[in-house]
Amino acid sequence: MQDLRIGVVGLGLRANLADAAHHPGAGSVVAAVADTDPAVRAGVADRFPGAVAVDDYRKLLDDDTVDALVVATPDDTHEAVACDILRAGKPVYVEKPLGITVEQCDTILRTAYETGTRLYVGHNMRHMGVVRLMRDIIARGDIGEPKTVWVRHFVSYGGDYYFKDWHADRTRTTGLLLQKAAHDIDVVHWLANGYTSRVNAMGDLMVYGDLPRREPGTPRPDGWLREFDWPPATRKDLNHVVDVEDVSVMNMRLDNGVIAAYQQCHFSPDYFRNYTVIGTEGRLENFGDRPGDEVKVWNTGPTGYRADADAVYKVPESKGSHGGSDERIIGEFCRFVRDGGVTDTSPVAARMSVAAGVMATQSLRDGGAPYDVPPLDPELIAYFESGQRRDAAPAPAPR
């Protein structure tokens, strides 16, 4: 099998995606990198021997030596970059979130539909071992029919990761209830087999609003993402704009009646993501998301709390970044580029997670008022659920 030649747009925080795509002789190779940073371009030849480095992704659009492109640029650029690539007829991977507004997402989907170019969206948590384990347990019926999902997300590094660069600026992200939560909202949808139809939320900028900020144009600290400040109130060198919330809670009603809740905090001492799913015949909960961590199921009772549970499952072993999910998602993308068809990730699902996050952020900034999630054009739903083929009857998409 000849290697698929991948072009990477943006070799920054998600550079591990490029690493996952570079397996010369084993199916795919990074053939080109576009990045505006000269220092990044200077290192391309050593990181990906034989790859070209350019300062503008548009130089790759007509390059016949590039088969497909991975977009890992800042969130507010996804619409423009992805649509340019789609119009050029090259299959494209867009890192989550698909966009920072509902309109941006719908424009990308519409462009993919009108051009017939293959679109893939990188919600890699669908390929994480813990998420697939929980999905399998639910699909077997071990807890009956899911009725409610609760998610707690403690982001210990949040002050350093998200408040020292563009993520802290709502014009670049809308808010962290979209940017950071898009993965978890998508997982809620996937586990509960439905999409959010109505939301309300509350939150605030509780800790990072008054801390020292850098002047505009000042580079990030030298130790950024290598040295971390603690306690949270001692953090400094924040982005010159900080207007996104550092704590938020979100309630969701899904289109199948499931009720879900999501909580996010960026000043906790530990990093932890915890899911609880309660069905008509039991409950499951994850205790960690790394290989060897546990997912527990309680499906007999009623009793008091039992730490041993009725069944305990280990998160499977994996290699690579994000619990091996980056390797698996790039593998699925390459297969999709070659063969097409329905994938475990879904452009429709990606749009719906953004839409839920957008409306929740509006609710949060409107005193918790409930908001309905705008529906997606049924024509687009049918197209993407049939594997992006107009000549195929719509098939149920994996949510």
Side-chain angles (χ1 to χ4, degrees):
M1 177 176 63
Q2 187 175 0
D3 284 340
L4 198 66
R5 295 177 63 81
I6 303 295
V8 177
V9 185
L11 196 64
L13 291 178
R14 291 294 277 133
N16 46 353
L17 287 173
D19 295 333
H22 192 63
H23 296 292
S28 64
V29 61
V30 173
V33 172
D35 199 289
T36 58
D37 187 340
V40 170
R41 295 198 301 274
V44 166
D46 290 334
R47 190 167 189 164
F48 308 112
V52 300
V54 298
D55 60 354
D56 190 329
Y57 72 91
R58 286 166 290 196
K59 295 179 180 178
L60 304 179
L61 300 184
D62 297 323
D63 187 341
D64 292 337
T65 68
V66 175
D67 299 314
L69 288 156
V70 172
V71 176
T73 54
D75 302 349
D76 57 319
T77 68
H78 287 181
E79 178 192 11
V81 178
C83 287
D84 280 348
I85 296 170
L86 290 166
R87 294 187 187 106
K90 289 188 183 294
V92 60
Y93 172 120
V94 183
E95 177 61 356
K96 76 89 191 173
L98 181 57
I100 65 170
T101 68
V102 179
E103 293 77 15
Q104 287 183 4
C105 294
D106 290 357
T107 297
I108 295 173
L109 296 186
R110 176 62 62 181
T111 302
Y113 172 77
E114 291 176 348
T115 62
T117 308
R118 289 174 179 169
L119 169 66
Y120 186 93
V121 185
H123 278 273
N124 64 343
M125 279 190 69
R126 291 192 178 209
H127 289 270
M128 288 179 67
V130 66
V131 173
R132 298 183 84 85
L133 175 58
M134 292 189 293
R135 169 96 167 162
D136 290 345
I137 292 169
I138 293 169
R140 286 200 307 265
D142 290 10
I143 63 168
E145 182 181 357
K147 291 296 184 182
T148 187
V149 184
W150 305 338
V151 185
R152 297 182 301 161
H153 196 180
F154 310 141
V155 193
S156 59
Y157 301 105
D160 295 286
Y161 271 76
Y162 299 103
F163 288 85
K164 292 186 176 181
D165 73 350
W166 55 267
H167 292 85
D169 183 347
R170 67 175 64 178
T171 67
R172 307 288 305 276
T173 61
T174 293
L176 296 178
L177 198 49
L178 185 165
Q179 202 286 332
K180 183 60 175 168
H183 274 313
D184 290 293
I185 296 171
D186 179 63
V187 172
V188 168
H189 291 169
W190 206 39
L191 297 180
N193 197 34
Y195 292 133
T196 299
S197 59
R198 191 169 177 82
V199 299
N200 82 296
M202 297 189 72
D204 206 346
L205 181 55
M206 290 185 168
V207 173
Y208 301 122
D210 297 321
L211 300 188
R213 307 181 187 184
R214 305 190 312 276
E215 292 295 323
T218 305
R220 291 176 297 225
D222 290 339
W224 187 63
L225 303 191
R226 296 189 303 275
E227 300 172 2
F228 302 100
D229 300 321
W230 189 262
T234 66
R235 284 183 168 126
K236 54 189 181 301
D237 295 321
L238 270 60
N239 192 54
H240 66 282
V241 175
V242 177
D243 61 2
V244 297
E245 295 75 17
D246 52 21
V247 64
S248 55
V249 296
M250 170 184 178
N251 297 315
M252 298 165 267
R253 178 180 291 277
L254 276 56
D255 54 15
N256 59 3
V258 169
I259 298 292
Y262 172 81
Q263 304 172 8
Q264 179 187 104
C265 180
H266 286 268
F267 46 87
S268 65
D270 56 333
Y271 193 101
F272 191 65
R273 180 185 266 119
N274 172 254
Y275 284 85
T276 297
V277 184
I278 305 176
T280 54
E281 299 176 22
R283 173 172 76 89
L284 72 76
E285 183 174 357
N286 74 298
F287 293 82
D289 55 16
R290 295 172 295 183
D293 288 338
E294 295 179 337
V295 174
K296 294 186 177 183
V297 174
W298 294 262
N299 53 14
T300 63
T303 69
Y305 176 73
R306 293 175 285 121
D308 55 346
D310 292 300
V312 179
Y313 302 91
K314 295 290 186 181
V315 176
E317 293 295 324
S318 59
K319 295 181 179 180
S321 52
H322 288 95
S325 63
D326 288 337
E327 292 278 348
R328 287 190 285 270
I329 201 168
I330 288 293
E332 183 177 63
F333 171 62
C334 291
R335 193 274 302 163
F336 174 66
V337 171
R338 293 181 187 279
D339 304 325
V342 176
T343 57
D344 278 344
T345 64
S346 158
V348 170
R351 183 269 189 190
M352 295 306 295
S353 69
V354 169
V358 167
M359 304 317 295
T361 303
Q362 288 191 20
S363 171
L364 180 156
R365 294 170 184 165
D366 190 23
Y371 278 86
D372 291 327
V373 174
L376 179 61
D377 186 337
E379 181 180 52
L380 295 178
I381 295 175
Y383 174 71
F384 287 104
E385 290 189 348
S386 64
Q388 303 185 37
R389 291 176 53 197
R390 290 190 180 86
D391 60 345
R399 288 182 169 179

